[in-house]
Amino acid sequence: MRRTAEGRGPVRFGPLAPPPALPVPPELTAVLAAAAERSAPEPPGGGAPVREAACRHWERRGLAVDPEHVAAGPGAPALLQALVGAYGGDVMLPRPCPAWWTPQVRLLGRRAYHVPTPAECGGVPDPYALLETVRRVRAEGGDPRVLLLSVADDPTATVPPPELLLEACEAAVTADLFVVSDESWRDTVHRPHDTLVLSPAEMLPDRAAVLLDLSGALLPAGWPAAVARFPGTPQGTWLRARTLDILAATGALVAAPVAAAAAHALHEPDAVAGHARAAAALHGAVAAAVHRHLLAAGALARPPQAGRHVYADLTPLRPGLARHGVGDAMELEDWLGARLGAPTPGGQRFADELGELRVRLSTGPLLGADPEERLAALAASDPLELPHVRASLDLLDSVLAGLAD
């Protein structure tokens, strides 16, 4: 009984993230294997090859930067913790936000303050709510200094429109907040020709850092690597140096073989870039189907635009869920996950209110149960016509249909 009770709250007992499902491109596997005998550790902040590759990556997206203003770390959590720890102060975050953000802030002994997002999207706080929250927090003795946001959001799978991102950035300037933009899912946009993704670093070049977890689009989760872009200012130089100090003190270094694979992926050769585009399109097609099924059942969800998830609000189905003893997001997480056979973390994992019946559904488990089925989905002109994908969507339908009045 004690293990079950603990499993409902602490981060370490939260549901495991579903695997990306798709295989690693053979070209990346070959690069990692060729570097497997590299025994010398990467320096704190990463060696020149991975930092230079990151510069080229950002330049192709209109964000020129020098290698001296880039740092690499073993995954986004370690790099974010070092960056926030170096800057100091409390942190403002949107509500909802990625499940790992708030624990990283609190592990530093800092306070995390969540601000509601606009109705149109997730990833950024409502600008007026941000200003009011900062004012209130400072009046109560808090010390907010950093705003953490995302331009391609997990969990909501949305991309903030440029005007809303600009308003959030302007509010951050007014509130004297430094912006950290998590852009890990930027290159997983489902319709890149229809969706404009901008970075706060374009709007606030002197007041914004960019964080990119390569497992978002380019590397598998088991090869942890992330890069950060700092402003090319004296403050940015100071912040990078303090970040490297923390990475060194905590031993948060990128493994040399992973650094080689990361550098190769950041150069975006045709095979790697093509695989990333095909994966984004596949996840987008399945996410759109999940969204349609949710709306047909009476649930609510913003149309997914990026990533590998759909964030659903099952509040309209509350009477049906109550018949199954489900009254809050933790109970919904357990009940729905058991029936779908895949992790379905509730909204409380993403800083949403416990009483709200929100849940994140992942597209990865719908692509197939084995590598052959997942490869077939990746190669299919219409993955929704594959029997195993249809079966997964039919299961979702049957579970939701059982909640109808």
Side-chain angles (χ1 to χ4, degrees):
M1 290 297 293
R2 184 171 182 270
R3 172 63 179 85
T4 302
E6 285 182 347
R8 295 180 61 79
V11 172
R12 66 186 183 279
F13 292 140
L16 296 176
L22 298 176
V24 183
E27 184 172 316
L28 282 179
T29 303
V31 171
L32 184 79
E37 294 184 0
R38 287 176 51 182
S39 58
E42 286 283 293
V50 69
R51 290 186 289 111
E52 290 171 356
C55 291
R56 305 291 85 77
H57 178 90
W58 275 311
E59 284 174 4
R60 290 189 292 273
R61 289 153 181 79
L63 293 173
V65 63
D66 295 327
E68 292 73 21
H69 294 118
V70 173
L79 195 49
L80 176 66
Q81 190 176 69
L83 198 163
V84 172
Y87 198 88
D90 300 328
V91 181
M92 311 300 296
L93 308 96
R95 182 194 301 275
C97 66
W100 60 275
W101 280 7
T102 305
Q104 291 298 319
V105 174
R106 291 177 175 164
L107 279 172
L108 292 166
R110 310 287 168 75
R111 285 168 288 193
Y113 298 98
H114 297 90
V115 181
T117 56
E120 297 90 336
C121 65
V124 299
D126 177 270
Y128 300 103
L130 175 64
L131 291 173
E132 175 57 25
T133 304
V134 170
R135 184 201 63 77
R136 175 180 55 80
V137 167
R138 286 177 176 155
E140 295 173 356
D143 184 27
R145 298 188 200 174
V146 174
L147 169 62
L148 182 56
L149 54 77
S150 175
V151 300
D153 185 46
D154 168 26
T156 66
T158 58
V159 175
E163 60 274 14
L164 287 181
L165 180 62
L166 177 59
E167 290 175 3
C169 289
E170 290 174 341
V173 172
T174 301
D176 193 24
L177 299 174
F178 184 79
V179 175
V180 178
S181 175
D182 184 350
E183 302 184 6
S184 300
W185 298 99
R186 175 173 182 158
D187 291 329
T188 66
V189 170
H190 302 157
R191 297 175 179 235
H193 297 296
D194 301 330
T195 308
L196 179 61
V197 184
L198 297 180
S199 170
E202 299 175 65
M203 305 171 182
L204 306 174
D206 297 340
R207 301 178 63 99
V210 175
L211 179 68
L212 174 63
D213 191 341
L214 301 188
S215 68
L218 296 175
L219 293 181
W223 302 2
V227 288
R229 178 191 185 275
F230 296 84
T233 63
Q235 185 193 40
T237 299
W238 167 85
L239 180 58
R240 178 180 181 272
R242 287 283 297 123
T243 300
L244 297 191
D245 287 342
I246 295 175
L247 291 173
T250 57
L253 309 178
V254 184
V258 174
H264 187 81
L266 285 165
H267 281 301
E268 296 178 291
D270 290 343
V272 174
H275 182 274
R277 286 193 297 269
L282 170 59
H283 284 284
V286 176
V290 171
H291 181 253
R292 291 192 296 270
H293 286 265
L294 287 167
L295 297 188
L300 304 173
R302 296 183 178 106
Q305 297 172 286
R308 302 164 184 160
H309 311 294
V310 178
Y311 197 54
D313 185 350
L314 272 59
T315 300
L317 305 178
R318 187 181 290 274
L321 288 166
R323 292 197 300 270
H324 296 277
V326 176
D328 61 32
M330 285 195 292
E331 293 170 346
L332 177 60
E333 174 182 296
D334 294 340
W335 183 86
L336 193 58
R339 279 149 186 79
L340 295 180
T344 56
Q348 83 283 357
R349 306 284 179 184
F350 310 104
D352 256 334
E353 295 296 335
L354 178 63
E356 301 291 342
L357 293 174
R358 293 176 183 153
V359 65
R360 190 187 72 179
L361 303 175
S362 297
T363 52
L366 306 180
L367 303 183
D370 55 51
E372 290 73 22
E373 288 186 345
R374 297 165 197 157
L375 279 173
L378 187 63
S381 58
D382 185 358
L384 302 183
E385 291 300 317
L386 295 175
H388 61 273
V389 176
R390 286 205 311 271
S392 297
L393 292 171
D394 288 344
L395 175 61
L396 175 63
D397 264 349
S398 67
V399 172
L400 295 175
L403 302 176
D405 287 334

